[in-house]
C-alpha cells in the first residue's frame, strides 16, 4: 500500500482525475488494447493531451504490431496521386525517380515519419497486405538496422517482383550471414489477406436524429457479431483441401514453382505461411527412395499430364492439406504433427525461443505460419501454434499429452495427380495406388493392357468440368442420366435439373414457348 500511495503521488494531477488515462497507464492493459485499434485511432488518442502523448509514445509495446492496410496515406493510386503519401506526393516526379521510389513511395514516406519519432524501431509485426510493396523495400526491411520487424505480411501486394524478392531472401539467409541476422523470422506471402471491414459512416452536415444513430450503431454491431461468429476453419490443421485458393480470383498458378527452392534455401532460418511438399517424389521427403521415380512419372504422364522427370522439381510448395489415405489412413512420409518434433534443449534457445543463426531450427521449416498474423506476440511458435494446442513442445509440457493431436499431411498438386477427390478431399497414397501407367511393362502390348486395366480401377475421374476430379462415391451422388434424352448432367452445376430430367428436358416446354 505504501508503494501504491507513493506511485499515485508521483503521477500528475491530470492522470489522477482522468479515468481512461489512469487505466491506460497500466502497460498490460495498454499493450493488449492497442493492437485492436487502427493507427489513426492511436495517433488521435495521443494527440488529445500531453499526458496521453507521453503514455503512447513512451510505451514501446504500443507499436509492436503495425497494420497499414487501411491507412489512407499508404494507398497507391497511379491515376491521380490523391491517395499517395503526403511526403512522397510533395516530391516532384521526374526522370531521376526510380521504379522502386515510384511504387514504394507511400510506404517509404510513412516509414520515414515513423523513424523520426522513434516508432519504427519498436515495430515487430508489420502487416502490409494489399499495398504497393516492392522487392527493394522488403530488402531494406531485411538488412536496414532501423527495422526490427520479426514477422512481415505481404499477402496480395502489388508491384512485387518475385524474382528480385527471391534474391533478397536468398541473400538474407545465406550461409555467410552475420550472427543474429536476419531479424525477420516469419513471412506471410502465399495466402489471401483477411477480409476488409466496412468503413465507418461519414458524418453528414445535418445532425441525424437520435433514433437514426441508434439504428446505425445496432446495424453495425449486428454485422460485427455475425462476422465474428462466422469464422473460417483454421488453415492446414482444420481446413482440408486447397489452402490458398478460396475462389477463382486467387488461383494456385500464382505460386510460382521457384518458391519451392526458395523455401528449401530458407529452411531453418525463416518460416513462411506454407511448407514444402513431403511426397516421396521430393528430396526433402522422409519417404524419398521408397518408390521408383519412373513409376511416379509414368503415372502422371499416362493421362496427358505435362509432368515428367525432366520438368520435375526436387522441392515444391505444398498447397493442399490432407487427412490420411482413404485406404491405409496414413501416408508414406507420415503426418506433420504439432509438437512432435525434435525440440532443441533450453540452452540452445534465448528468451524469444530463437536459435543461433548458424544452427537453424527444424520446426521453422516444418510447420507453417497460421493466418492471421499474431496480435500480441512476435514469437514464431505463437504464429504457428494451432488453436487449442500448447505453445511449448510436448517434451516440456506434461498437460499436452491429453490434448488431441493437431496434424495434417502437406502435398503439392503434382503429388495428388489422379489420386485426389476435389469434393470430399479423400485421396490415395503411393503405397495404395500409383495410377495409370505406373506398373512395369516389358512390351508395348503389356503397357497398353496395364494402362487399360488400371484406368478401369481408377480412383477418381472427371465427369463434370466444374466439379473436377471426383471419386466414385461423389460421382454417384452428383451425376445423373436423363430419363428423357439419355444425356448425363450434374445436379449441382446444371441449374434447373432434377433427379429425373436434365435442365433442358425439365424446362423444355417453357423454352419452346419462349422460342416461338
Amino acid at each position: 500500500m505504501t508503494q501504491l500511495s507513493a506511485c499515485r503521488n508521483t503521477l500528475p494531477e491530470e492522470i489522477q482525475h482522468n479515468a481512461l488515462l489512469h487505466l491506460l497507464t497500466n502497460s498490460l492493459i495498454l499493450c493488449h488494447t492497442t493492437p485492436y485499434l487502427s493507427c489513426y485511432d492511436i495517433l488521435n488518442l495521443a494527440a488529445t493531451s500531453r499526458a496521453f502523448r507521453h503514455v503512447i509514445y513512451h510505451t514501446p509495446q504500443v507499436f509492436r504490431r503495425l497494420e497499414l492496410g487501411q491507412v489512407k496515406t499508404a494507398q497507391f493510386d497511379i491515376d491521380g496521386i490523391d491517395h499517395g503519401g503526403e511526403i512522397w506526393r510533395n516530391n516532384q516526379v521526374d526522370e531521376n525517380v526510380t521504379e522502386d521510389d515510384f511504387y514504394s513511395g507511400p510506404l517509404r514516406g510513412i516509414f520515414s515519419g515513423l523513424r523520426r519519432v522513434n516508432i519504427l524501431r519498436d515495430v515487430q509485426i508489420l502487416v502490409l497486405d494489399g499495398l504497393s510493396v516492392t522487392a527493394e523495400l522488403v530488402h531494406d526491411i531485411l538488412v536496414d538496422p532501423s527495422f526490427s520487424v520479426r514477422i512481415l505480411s505481404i499477402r496480395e501486394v502489388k508491384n512485387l517482383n518475385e524474382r528480385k524478392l527471391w534474391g533478397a531472401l536468398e541473400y538474407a539467409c545465406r550461409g555467410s550471414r552475420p550472427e543474429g541476422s536476419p531479424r525477420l523470422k516469419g513471412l506471410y506471402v502465399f495466402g489471401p489477406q483477411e477480409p476488409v471491414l466496412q468503413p465507418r459512416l461519414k458524418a453528414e452536415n445535418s445532425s441525424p436524429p437520435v433514433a437514426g444513430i441508434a439504428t446505425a450503431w445496432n446495424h453495425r454491431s449486428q454485422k460485427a457479431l455475425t462476422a465474428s461468429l462466422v469464422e473460417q476453419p483454421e488453415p492446414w490443421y482444420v481446413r482440408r483441401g486447397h489452402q490458398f485458393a478460396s475462389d477463382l480470383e486467387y488461383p494456385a498458378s500464382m505460386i510460382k514453382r521457384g518458391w519451392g527452392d526458395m523455401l528449401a534455401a530458407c529452411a531453418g532460418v525463416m518460416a513462411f505461411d506454407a511448407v514444402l511438399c513431403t511426397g516421396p517424389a521430393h528430396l526433402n521427403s522422409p519417404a524419398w527412395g521408397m518408390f521408383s521415380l519412373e513409376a511416379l512419372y509414368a503415372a502422371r504422364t499416362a493421362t496427358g499430364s505435362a509432368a515428367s522427370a525432366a520438368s520435375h522439381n526436387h522441392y515444391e510448395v505444398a498447397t493442399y492439406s490432407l487427412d490420411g489415405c482413404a485406404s491405409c489412413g496414413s501416408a508414406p512420409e507420415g503426418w506433420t504433427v504439432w509438437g512432435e518434433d525434435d525440440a532443441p534443449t533450453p540452452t540452445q534457445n534465448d528468451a524469444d525461443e530463437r536459435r543461433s543463426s548458424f544452427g537453424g531450427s527444424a520446426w521453422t521449416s516444418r510447420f507453417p505460419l497460421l493466418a492471421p498474423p499474431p496480435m500480441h506476440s512476435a514469437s514464431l511458435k505463437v504464429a504457428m501454434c494451432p488453436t487449442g494446442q500448447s505453445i511449448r513442445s510436448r517434451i516440456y509440457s506434461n498437460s499436452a499429452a491429453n490434448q488431441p493431436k493437431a496434424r495434417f499431411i502437406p502435398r503439392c498438386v503434382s503429388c495428388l495427380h489422379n489420386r485426389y477427390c476435389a469434393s470430399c478431399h479423400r485421396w490415395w497414397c503411393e503405397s495404395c495406388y500409383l495410377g495409370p501407367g505406373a506398373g512395369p511393362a516389358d512390351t508395348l502390348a503389356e503397357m497398353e493392357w496395364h494402362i487399360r486395366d488400371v484406368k478401369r480401377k481408377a480412383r477418381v475421374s472427371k465427369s463434370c468440368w466444374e466439379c473436377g476430379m471426383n471419386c466414385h462415391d461423389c460421382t454417384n451422388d452428383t451425376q445423373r442420366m436423363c430419363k428423357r434424352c439419355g444425356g448425363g448432367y450434374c445436379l449441382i452445376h446444371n441449374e434447373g435439373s432434377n433427379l429425373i430430367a436434365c435442365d433442358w428436358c425439365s424446362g423444355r416446354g417453357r423454352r419452346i414457348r419462349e422460342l416461338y
Side-chain angles (χ1 to χ4, degrees):
M1 292 296 294
T2 305
Q3 295 180 355
L4 181 59
S5 301
C7 180
R8 287 181 177 177
N9 294 331
T10 57
L11 292 175
E13 184 178 359
E14 184 181 1
I15 296 181
Q16 297 181 17
H17 294 285
N18 194 320
L20 177 60
L21 186 57
H22 184 67
L23 181 65
L24 294 181
T25 52
N26 188 328
S27 60
L28 181 63
I29 297 177
L30 180 63
C31 297
H32 279 75
T33 304
T34 50
Y36 298 98
L37 301 176
S38 64
C39 300
Y40 180 78
D41 295 331
I42 296 176
L43 296 178
N44 279 346
L45 179 63
T48 54
S49 66
R50 292 183 178 180
F52 274 108
R53 180 180 179 86
H54 182 272
V55 171
I56 295 297
Y57 281 91
H58 289 79
T59 307
Q61 291 83 1
V62 170
F63 296 98
R64 177 171 52 189
R65 188 182 193 275
L66 185 62
E67 185 172 355
L68 301 178
Q70 300 302 312
V71 178
K72 183 178 180 181
T73 55
Q75 307 299 322
F76 178 82
D77 188 5
I78 195 173
D79 297 329
I81 318 184
D82 295 334
H83 302 288
E86 292 290 342
I87 299 177
W88 171 63
R89 69 179 181 181
N90 290 332
N91 297 331
Q92 186 176 1
V93 179
D94 54 16
E95 64 276 2
N96 296 325
V97 176
T98 63
E99 182 180 3
D100 172 65
D101 295 334
F102 182 74
Y103 289 116
S104 64
L107 287 177
R108 290 188 182 275
I110 293 177
F111 292 154
S112 178
L114 296 177
R115 190 180 290 109
R116 286 197 302 269
V117 294
N118 297 325
I119 292 180
L120 191 62
R121 63 185 180 183
D122 300 328
V123 179
Q124 297 183 9
I125 304 173
L126 183 59
V127 182
L128 305 176
D129 297 339
L131 299 176
S132 178
V133 180
T134 61
E136 289 80 1
L137 181 61
V138 178
H139 175 75
D140 293 343
I141 296 175
L142 287 170
V143 301
D144 193 341
S146 62
F147 288 92
S148 300
V149 179
R150 295 201 63 207
I151 296 179
L152 175 64
S153 180
I154 52 173
R155 296 169 294 177
E156 297 189 44
V157 297
K158 308 170 185 174
N159 307 314
L160 180 65
N161 190 323
E162 292 191 354
R163 295 191 177 276
K164 289 185 178 181
L165 177 62
W166 295 347
L169 295 176
E170 186 177 3
Y171 176 78
C173 300
R174 68 192 186 278
S176 60
R177 65 188 183 278
E179 177 69 21
S181 66
R183 294 186 180 89
L184 185 67
K185 300 300 180 181
L187 182 62
Y188 289 82
V189 66
F190 297 106
Q193 61 178 333
E194 276 73 37
V196 180
L197 297 178
Q198 295 294 332
R200 298 179 177 179
L201 296 177
K202 296 183 179 179
E204 301 292 342
N205 295 331
S206 59
S207 299
V210 178
I213 296 178
T215 303
W217 275 105
N218 290 336
H219 181 64
R220 262 185 284 175
S221 301
Q222 184 179 4
K223 291 179 64 177
L225 179 61
T226 304
S228 62
L229 292 177
V230 183
E231 294 182 356
Q232 295 293 333
E234 189 173 45
W236 295 105
Y237 295 95
V238 178
R239 187 175 71 228
R240 297 309 186 198
H242 205 289
Q243 299 299 299
F244 306 122
S246 57
D247 48 31
L248 296 178
E249 296 180 358
Y250 197 73
S253 59
M254 295 190 66
I255 301 181
K256 297 182 179 178
R257 301 188 67 181
W259 274 110
D261 297 331
M262 185 50 53
L263 262 64
C266 299
V269 181
M270 191 178 301
F272 296 84
D273 55 340
V275 292
L276 290 173
C277 176
T278 56
H282 303 289
L283 288 175
N284 59 299
S285 174
W288 169 261
M290 293 178 56
F291 302 91
S292 171
L293 293 181
E294 289 75 11
L296 296 177
Y297 300 145
R300 299 174 186 176
T301 57
T303 56
S305 174
S308 62
S311 61
H312 177 73
N313 280 12
H314 294 301
Y315 303 102
E316 203 65 66
V317 178
T319 55
Y320 285 82
S321 174
L322 306 171
D323 281 318
C325 170
S327 296
C328 64
S330 183
E333 67 274 17
W335 292 81
T336 298
V337 184
W338 171 257
E340 291 189 353
D341 200 359
D342 295 333
T345 60
T347 57
Q348 293 174 314
N349 281 3
D350 60 9
D352 292 331
E353 298 177 335
R354 292 175 293 180
R355 297 192 64 186
S356 170
S357 62
F358 296 99
S361 183
W363 53 266
T364 58
S365 57
R366 186 179 182 186
F367 303 107
L369 299 173
L370 302 179
M375 298 291 293
H376 306 289
S377 175
S379 172
L380 283 186
K381 284 198 172 181
V382 173
M384 293 176 176
C385 182
T387 302
Q389 299 294 316
S390 174
I391 297 178
R392 293 184 177 272
S393 174
R394 296 178 188 268
I395 296 179
Y396 305 125
S397 178
N398 296 327
S399 61
N402 299 326
Q403 297 177 356
K405 296 180 179 180
R407 59 182 186 175
F408 67 98
I409 298 175
R411 283 294 181 105
C412 63
V413 179
S414 300
C415 291
L416 292 179
H417 183 68
N418 282 342
R419 64 178 73 251
Y420 169 74
C421 178
S423 296
C424 64
H425 305 303
R426 291 195 302 171
W427 72 292
W428 290 262
C429 66
E430 290 79 3
S431 300
C432 302
Y433 175 68
L434 279 177
D442 298 331
T443 63
L444 181 60
E446 292 181 1
M447 173 65 78
E448 292 177 353
W449 175 86
H450 180 76
I451 292 177
R452 288 195 303 268
D453 182 66
V454 177
K455 280 185 177 180
R456 185 174 59 86
K457 301 177 182 179
R459 302 296 194 273
V460 294
S461 60
K462 181 182 290 187
S463 56
C464 173
W465 288 102
E466 288 81 2
C467 292
M469 302 295 289
N470 283 349
C471 62
H472 299 307
D473 295 337
C474 294
T475 300
N476 295 332
D477 293 338
T478 59
Q479 307 302 315
R480 292 291 185 271
M481 295 295 295
C482 181
K483 295 184 179 180
R484 297 181 182 178
C485 66
Y489 61 96
C490 177
L491 290 173
I492 300 177
H493 298 98
N494 286 75
E495 185 178 356
S497 60
N498 51 47
L499 297 175
I500 300 176
C502 62
D503 55 344
W504 176 262
C505 294
S506 60
R508 184 172 55 181
R510 179 178 58 83
R511 294 182 180 180
I512 293 178
R513 289 193 298 270
E514 291 177 355
L515 291 175
Y516 295 96

